[in-house]
Amino acid sequence: MSPSWTPARIYNLYRIVIATVLLASFYLSDRTVIGQYLPVLFEATVIGYLILTLLSSLMDYARPARKPAWAQPVALVIDVLVLGLVVHANGGLEGGLAVLLLVNVAGGNILLRGRLGFLIAALATLTVMFEQFYFAIQTSDGAPFQLTEAGLLGIAFFMVSLIIQQIAERLERSEGIAARQRVAIQRLEALNQQIVARMRTGVMVFDEVQRVLQSNPSADAFFGIVMAGQHLPESLRERYHHWQAAPHIAPAPFRPSRQSPEVSARFAAMDTGHENLTLVFLEDTAHIAQEAQQLNLASLGRLSATLAHEIRNPLSAISHATELLGEADASPEDARLLSIIRKHVQRVNGIISDVLDLSRRPRGQAARFSLAEALGDIVAGWHQRGPGFERLMLTPGDTEVAVRFDRNQFVQVLDNLIGNAFQHGGDALSVTLAYGVHPRTGLPWVTITDDGPGVPEEARAHLFEPFYTTSDQGNGLGLYVCRQLCQANQATLDHEDAQPGARFVITCAHPDRQFQ
């Protein structure tokens, strides 16, 4: 029930209506129909009662909190007395208005309960008994103590009191249970909202016309806009249709925007009973890859221990034997063969060292730092390496751009990508670094672009696979390690065709995001 429509206010409205109806009936109908016994008393009583109820209602609405505890019982007693006068002015019980006392008794037991409720019933019973006793004496047409009609009305009053109190108690208990359940539901709803809002997984609910009804902040962050009220993007719509056709096949990951991380979508039907809704869960694949990375590193740790023991010992023996053979006078052809052996021993040893370093890498300590400052230091360091490296340039950007990354790992990733560009790009190659913030998602990004020949088409699908290389001098772990380091810092590393040349894009997490 609305707070403005309490039982007391409904009862006040009833009092006003009854007084108005009685007064209208008195003025508009034949005077012999109502109030015929004492018309002056009837008119004065009803007018006074109407004025009293109007004033009481106005005070109740004006100052509801200041109403004293005794006001309601007194008002009900006045109602019974006033209606007693109305019944008397209308000719006693024979006038038929005594039945209105039943409503007063019922209302009194709803508002007061217990003994006070039965007091109203007793007062109404005494009123009708007095009326019958009085008229029996006045008319002298019957014994004054023949109170059959009054007695039956009195029994009715007490029965109504008993029944109403039982009903009211049950309703009060039900209302209490409903109130507790409402509080529990509100608490549960608030808890669910907090959980969904703080989830790193994006959650959206959309209807049959693919209009998003609800979305949490993580889902909004993936798309860079508030998704509630929007229609599903085309990329999600395609995966939704694929899921409908083959629910057991996971849709392919996608990128909501150029600067957002790669996201996987999972759909689930949500039948509410009156509408068919669909839930979609959006998961940052970088987080999944980070968990997979921990498993890979654990496996590499066991493998590296075996490599160090089982391979390096015989490799050292081969290297030592090569050195001994090189000390003897060897023919030019033997010297060339020894050089080949030395070269490949060093390569195998380098692969083992890289695998050992990968498995022993400590957990990154992500911290917030200025992107412009860090890139400036990297460029200055490369310029100090000697001639040719001055072709590395930094495109000026917003100096306020910040990232959250392990700084040593960030430098390692940039050095590796810049070194790859100089190694594979040729003598006239130039490399350009640029940075900025995506306007929709607010995510910082860094690009490493060269104007060399670019990555061959057949190698692009395998760029980030471990041990895949197109160079006789490489071991195929450089780009793999770079992507692993980015994923460990909640960032992504991707390749783009620069035409001509190649471009690698690092999209970092929001600098205000705390990694877990």
Side-chain angles (χ1 to χ4, degrees):
M1 180 180 292
S2 173
S4 61
W5 286 103
T6 61
R9 290 183 176 178
I10 293 174
Y11 182 70
N12 280 341
L13 179 62
Y14 161 77
R15 296 162 70 197
I16 295 171
V17 170
I18 286 298
T20 304
V21 169
L22 289 175
L23 198 60
S25 300
F26 179 74
Y27 284 122
L28 299 178
S29 64
D30 188 356
R31 295 296 179 90
T32 60
V33 174
I34 189 169
Q36 74 276 16
Y37 184 70
L38 294 171
V40 176
L41 177 63
F42 185 90
E43 182 182 10
T45 302
V46 174
I47 291 175
Y49 185 56
L50 180 58
I51 294 173
L52 188 64
T53 53
L54 287 173
L55 290 175
S56 175
S57 298
L58 289 174
M59 291 177 63
D60 181 44
Y61 274 96
R63 296 182 297 178
R66 299 183 184 181
K67 193 173 182 180
W70 49 265
Q72 194 67 65
V74 170
L76 288 166
V77 170
I78 292 174
D79 287 347
V80 173
L81 296 177
V82 168
L83 283 177
L85 289 175
V86 170
V87 170
H88 178 72
N90 194 49
L93 300 184
E94 299 297 330
L97 294 182
V99 72
L100 294 176
L101 288 168
L102 280 172
V103 180
N104 288 85
V105 171
N109 281 272
I110 291 175
L111 297 173
L112 299 181
R113 313 280 178 82
R115 294 179 180 179
L116 288 177
F118 287 119
L119 174 64
I120 301 300
L123 185 60
T125 302
L126 291 174
T127 300
V128 296
M129 291 180 71
F130 175 80
E131 280 296 313
Q132 187 167 3
F133 181 79
Y134 175 81
F135 275 96
I137 293 175
Q138 290 293 319
T139 58
S140 300
D141 58 354
F145 296 103
Q146 293 290 331
L147 303 176
T148 305
E149 187 176 356
L152 291 175
L153 277 174
I155 293 173
F157 293 153
F158 279 98
M159 290 301 298
V160 167
S161 298
L162 185 62
I163 293 171
I164 290 298
Q165 290 210 25
Q166 291 292 324
I167 294 174
E169 287 177 3
R170 291 189 179 185
L171 289 175
E172 190 175 35
R173 286 197 298 270
S174 299
E175 186 177 356
I177 293 172
R180 290 192 295 272
Q181 290 178 342
R182 182 173 63 253
V183 171
I185 291 172
Q186 291 174 346
R187 188 183 298 119
L188 182 61
E189 183 180 1
L191 177 62
N192 289 338
Q193 288 176 349
Q194 285 292 324
I195 292 174
V196 173
R198 297 175 71 86
M199 285 174 61
R200 289 184 297 178
T201 300
V203 181
M204 292 194 303
V205 181
F206 60 90
D207 56 18
E208 295 176 340
V209 297
Q210 299 174 8
R211 182 171 57 89
V212 179
L213 304 179
Q214 290 180 310
S215 64
N216 69 343
S218 295
D220 296 339
F222 285 137
F223 294 93
I225 58 173
V226 177
M227 292 301 297
Q230 306 288 333
H231 281 81
L232 281 186
E234 183 63 29
S235 54
L236 258 183
R237 193 178 301 121
E238 292 177 0
R239 283 155 181 79
Y240 174 59
H241 293 319
H242 291 164
W243 172 76
Q244 286 181 312
H248 303 294
I249 300 177
F254 69 102
R255 195 180 295 277
S257 64
R258 180 177 177 271
Q259 298 296 333
S260 66
E262 196 173 61
V263 174
S264 63
R266 292 178 291 113
F267 298 89
M270 180 179 171
D271 188 2
T272 62
H274 58 277
E275 58 181 343
N276 294 322
L277 304 178
T278 306
L279 274 169
V280 56
F281 300 94
L282 303 172
E283 191 85 31
D284 186 350
T285 56
H287 179 66
I288 301 174
Q290 185 180 11
E291 295 178 351
Q293 180 198 23
Q294 302 304 320
L295 297 176
N296 291 338
L297 292 178
S299 300
L300 281 173
R302 293 189 293 269
L303 175 63
S304 61
T306 303
L307 287 173
H309 179 72
E310 300 294 337
I311 299 179
R312 269 190 162 170
N313 288 339
L315 197 63
S316 297
I318 295 173
S319 178
H320 183 65
T322 304
E323 295 299 329
L324 291 177
L325 289 173
E327 292 177 0
D329 293 334
S331 64
E333 185 161 339
D334 290 340
R336 186 176 64 84
L337 292 176
L338 290 174
S339 174
I340 293 174
I341 294 173
R342 256 188 233 101
K343 176 181 176 181
H344 285 282
V345 165
Q346 292 173 355
R347 183 180 179 187
V348 173
N349 190 60
I351 293 174
I352 295 173
S353 297
D354 288 340
V355 172
L356 286 171
D357 291 341
L358 185 63
S359 63
R360 293 171 181 169
R361 183 177 296 112
R363 183 179 178 89
Q365 300 296 321
R368 185 185 178 112
F369 58 87
S370 170
L371 199 53
E373 178 187 349
L375 293 176
D377 292 343
I378 291 172
V379 171
W382 277 87
H383 287 174
Q384 295 172 2
R385 297 192 182 191
F389 294 115
E390 68 277 358
R391 296 194 301 272
L392 173 63
M393 296 168 289
L394 175 62
T395 301
D398 187 356
T399 57
E400 300 301 322
V401 178
V403 294
R404 186 173 295 277
F405 215 105
D406 182 287
R407 184 150 184 165
N408 291 331
Q409 294 179 353
F410 182 79
V411 173
Q412 182 179 348
V413 171
L414 267 294
D415 282 346
N416 201 327
L417 294 174
I418 294 170
N420 279 351
F422 280 116
Q423 180 180 351
H424 300 287
D427 295 337
L429 176 86
S430 63
V431 181
T432 304
L433 303 183
Y435 64 95
V437 176
H438 193 272
R440 282 201 313 168
T441 62
L443 300 180
W445 52 266
V446 180
T447 58
I448 303 92
T449 308
D450 65 65
D451 55 2
V455 180
E457 184 71 30
E458 64 276 6
R460 294 177 185 177
H462 309 284
L463 269 181
F464 299 100
E465 294 180 6
F467 303 109
Y468 177 82
T469 180
T470 57
S471 171
D472 294 336
Q473 306 299 322
N475 54 36
L477 285 175
L479 290 178
Y480 171 75
V481 170
C482 288
R483 173 169 274 189
Q484 295 296 309
L485 289 175
C486 287
Q487 290 175 348
N489 288 272
Q490 302 291 298
T492 60
L493 173 62
D494 298 286
H495 167 263
E496 292 181 357
D497 188 5
Q499 295 183 355
R503 176 183 296 115
F504 287 89
V505 181
I506 301 173
T507 305
C508 303
H510 196 282
D512 294 332
R513 179 178 179 182
Q514 296 293 334
F515 298 165
Q516 298 180 1

